[in-house]
């Protein structure tokens, strides 16, 4: 029999502290405190915090949990309405059967083969950006890794996949940042988020019209063709929302993965040496970055069914589930010595990209980009280091965790493009 749902005072305090500036900057001590209480914590009778790996994994996979059914009306004055409306129409936050229908259609064109075919483009983009880093960092000049590489690589790759012109790409970083702020638990950013949703909607509306008139081999053209099959399988609104999602998700989390990974290399020179000597693999390093400092720290689900049990707690229908992915990735019941960074960790399966039907569609693309970028970055710049005169700046976020700036210094020791 499931245990009672007596609210735990400490759970509410942990959530409150996570939403504070200090908690957003370093949530990991709070995650450890949550683990000390239990894998599932009742904040109120219908709000639960889930920090255990097995329990988070269960909620992500259980069809009894999903997203709020009600999407904001376009005419509502609710904070963040435009941003949330766009997200709710996409595979990011859709419930069955709409989620399965849309994801199946997108998966037909966003295929593993298409992703694998991008490897030469990723290699070329990485080498071009390394050349640019070398030029920017000549004579010991400080370079912002986030601006000059971590954003530039994934935006170039996803924009090539979508068929977005080169001259348009730089506008997307601030728009994506504003849009995804609507995902934060604290809210309070409705104006910029809604404005970003409208601007991105206008941009893709125009691009859809262009591709409809002159189709190409890009993903936008492929999805427009799916929409224009006129079988009712994809609406105009869903096409638009999913194109915005593919763009933003295509570089936002990968940018943070690259920045978080390099920051960890600065903190662990032994890992740098292991990667350069092939004593550690790029794949193992990337999985450990995802586990140790996930670009996505929190997910939300709603209990759609009654009679659900998570851990040993009964979950009433309609309850909100705050899933601490970052805490699950450091659950001592799942990972030995979870606060130790170990690229050789065995059976390392972080929940950073989610699990179950909503697992991130582009997770293999993010891993591909990182697996190409880090070895070539370390081979090209033997003396790459953090700038001792400038502190890196974290984005003031909890849900999406990454750096705003990451100042580095470097010295090229190899010819361009040579690994």
């Amino acid at each position: 029999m499931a245990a009672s749902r007596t609210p735990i005072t400490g759970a509410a305090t942990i959530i409150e502290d996570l939403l504070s500036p200090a908690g957003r900057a370093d949530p990991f001590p709070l995650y450890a405190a949550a683990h000390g209480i239990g894998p599932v914590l009742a904040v109120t009778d219908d709000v639960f915090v889930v920090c255990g790996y097995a329990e988070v994994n269960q909620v992500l996979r259980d069809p009894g949990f999903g997203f709020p059914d009600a999407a904001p009306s376009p005419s509502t004055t609710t904070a963040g309405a435009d941003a949330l409306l766009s997200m709710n129409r996409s595979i990011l936050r859709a419930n069955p059967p709409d989620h399965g229908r849309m994801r199946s259609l997108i998966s037909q064109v966003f295929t593993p083969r298409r992703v694998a075919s991008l490897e030469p483009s990723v290699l070329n983009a990485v080498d071009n950006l390394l050349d640019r880093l070398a030029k920017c960092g000549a004579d010991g000049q400080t370079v912002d890794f986030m601006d000059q590489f971590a954003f530039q690589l994934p935006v170039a790759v996803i924009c090539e996949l979508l068929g977005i012109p080169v001259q348009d790409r730089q506008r997307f970083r601030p728009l994506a940042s504003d849009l995804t702020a609507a995902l934060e638990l604290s809210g309070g950013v409705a104006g910029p988020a809604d404005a970003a949703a409208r601007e991105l909607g206008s941009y893709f509306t125009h691009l859809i019209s262009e591709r409809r008139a002159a189709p190409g081999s890009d993903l936008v053209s492929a999805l427009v063709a799916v929409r224009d099959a006129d079988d009712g399988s994809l609406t105009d609104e869903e096409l638009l929302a999913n194109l915005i999602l593919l763009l933003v998700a295509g570089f936002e989390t990968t940018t943070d993965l690259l920045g978080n990974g390099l920051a960890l290399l600065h903190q662990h020179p032994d890992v740098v040496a292991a990667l350069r000597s092939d004593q550690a693999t790029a794949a193992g390093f990337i999985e450990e970055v995802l586990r140790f400092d996930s670009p996505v720290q929190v997910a939300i689900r709603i209990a759609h069914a009654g009679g659900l049990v998570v851990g040993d707690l009964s979950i009433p229908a309609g309850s909100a589930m705050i899933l601490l992915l970052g805490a699950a990735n450091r659950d001592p019941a799942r990972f030995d010595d979870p606060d130790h960074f170990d690229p050789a960790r065995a059976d390392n399966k972080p929940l950073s990209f989610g699990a179950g039907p909503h697992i991130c569609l582009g997770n293999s693309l993010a891993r591909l980009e990182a697996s190409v970028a880090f070895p070539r970055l370390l081979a090209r710049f033997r003396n790459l280091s953090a700038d001792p005169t400038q502190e890196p700046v974290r984005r003031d976020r909890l849900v999406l965790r990454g750096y705003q700036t990451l100042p580095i210094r470097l010295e090229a020791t190899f010819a361009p493009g040579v690994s």
Side-chain angles (χ1 to χ4, degrees):
M1 179 178 293
S4 66
R5 301 188 304 274
T6 303
I8 301 172
T9 303
T13 301
I14 286 170
I15 290 298
E16 182 179 349
D17 289 347
L18 280 171
L19 294 176
S20 71
R24 293 193 296 269
D26 184 12
F28 302 108
L30 295 169
Y31 294 161
H35 286 306
I37 300 173
V40 186
L41 317 178
V43 180
T44 67
D45 286 341
D46 59 0
V47 177
F48 296 82
V49 174
V50 189
C51 62
Y53 181 97
E55 292 75 15
V56 169
N57 191 34
Q58 174 195 338
V59 174
L60 290 172
R61 295 176 183 276
D62 192 328
F65 296 96
F67 294 93
D69 282 319
S73 165
S75 60
T76 186
T77 57
T78 301
D82 289 333
L84 290 176
L85 180 62
S86 178
M87 294 178 192
N88 288 352
R89 283 173 169 167
S90 75
I91 60 172
L92 179 68
R93 292 167 62 93
N95 288 309
D98 292 333
H99 174 264
R101 169 179 54 80
M102 288 189 290
R103 187 171 179 116
S104 176
L105 292 169
I106 294 170
S107 296
Q108 292 174 24
V109 294
F110 192 76
T111 61
R113 176 177 294 182
R114 188 186 287 261
V115 171
S117 72
L118 289 171
E119 185 169 3
S121 297
V122 174
L123 285 164
N124 184 61
V126 166
D127 288 338
N128 287 338
L129 289 171
L130 294 180
D131 290 345
R132 187 161 81 171
L133 278 181
K135 183 179 295 185
C136 293
D139 301 322
Q141 296 296 312
T142 297
V143 180
D144 179 9
F145 179 76
M146 301 308 297
D147 184 56
Q148 295 296 325
F149 191 93
F151 165 70
Q152 301 295 339
L153 173 61
V155 81
V157 173
I158 193 62
C159 285
E160 178 174 332
L161 185 62
L162 290 169
I164 293 175
V166 173
Q167 65 270 20
D168 292 344
R169 297 174 183 179
Q170 297 306 308
R171 66 191 293 187
F172 295 133
R173 189 181 183 192
L175 290 174
S177 180
D178 287 345
L179 180 70
T180 55
L183 297 173
E184 292 296 313
L185 302 184
S186 55
V189 291
D194 287 344
R198 290 191 292 270
E199 184 170 342
L200 287 166
S202 176
Y203 180 85
F204 275 105
T205 297
H206 178 70
L207 191 61
I208 288 168
S209 178
E210 287 187 341
R211 293 298 184 272
R212 186 167 276 136
S217 59
D218 53 82
L219 199 57
V220 173
S221 297
L223 286 174
V224 168
V226 169
R227 165 67 192 102
D228 290 351
D230 199 25
D231 58 3
S233 59
L234 192 68
T235 68
D236 288 331
E237 292 81 5
E238 290 169 345
L239 171 63
L240 187 62
N242 281 294
L243 286 175
I244 293 172
L245 174 67
L246 287 170
L247 170 70
V248 172
F251 71 82
E252 184 83 343
T253 54
T254 308
T255 295
D256 292 337
L257 168 60
L258 293 171
N260 294 352
L262 184 60
L264 285 166
L265 287 177
H266 291 332
Q267 299 162 24
H268 298 276
D270 57 316
V271 175
V272 175
L275 287 168
R276 283 179 170 152
S277 64
D278 293 328
Q279 293 179 337
T281 66
F285 168 71
I286 291 161
E287 292 309 300
E288 184 68 345
V289 172
L290 288 168
R291 185 197 70 82
F292 193 83
D293 198 3
S294 173
V296 182
Q297 292 284 315
V298 181
I300 302 295
R301 294 293 189 271
I302 301 296
H304 284 173
L308 297 169
V309 176
V310 181
D312 63 351
L313 295 184
S314 296
I315 309 297
S319 295
M321 312 295 290
I322 303 173
L323 309 181
L324 301 181
L325 305 180
N329 286 341
R330 294 204 188 191
D331 183 357
R334 172 62 176 80
F335 299 101
D336 293 333
D337 196 7
D339 294 326
H340 174 62
F341 185 76
D342 180 13
R345 187 178 296 275
D347 190 30
N348 195 4
K349 297 178 181 178
L351 295 172
S352 308
F353 288 116
H358 275 86
I359 191 169
C360 175
L361 189 65
N363 73 86
S364 60
L365 180 57
R367 287 182 166 99
L368 170 63
E369 293 175 55
S371 68
V372 172
F374 281 113
R376 298 178 88 78
L377 179 70
L378 293 179
R380 179 74 180 272
F381 302 110
R382 303 295 293 190
N383 296 319
L384 186 151
S385 63
D387 187 335
T389 68
Q390 298 185 38
E391 288 292 325
V393 176
R394 279 274 188 190
R395 292 199 301 170
D396 187 21
R397 299 283 184 89
L398 173 63
V399 174
L400 297 180
R401 180 171 168 81
Y403 286 89
Q404 185 66 34
T405 65
L406 189 58
I408 61 172
R409 289 182 179 175
L410 42 83
E411 178 181 329
T413 56
F414 292 102
V418 176
S419 60

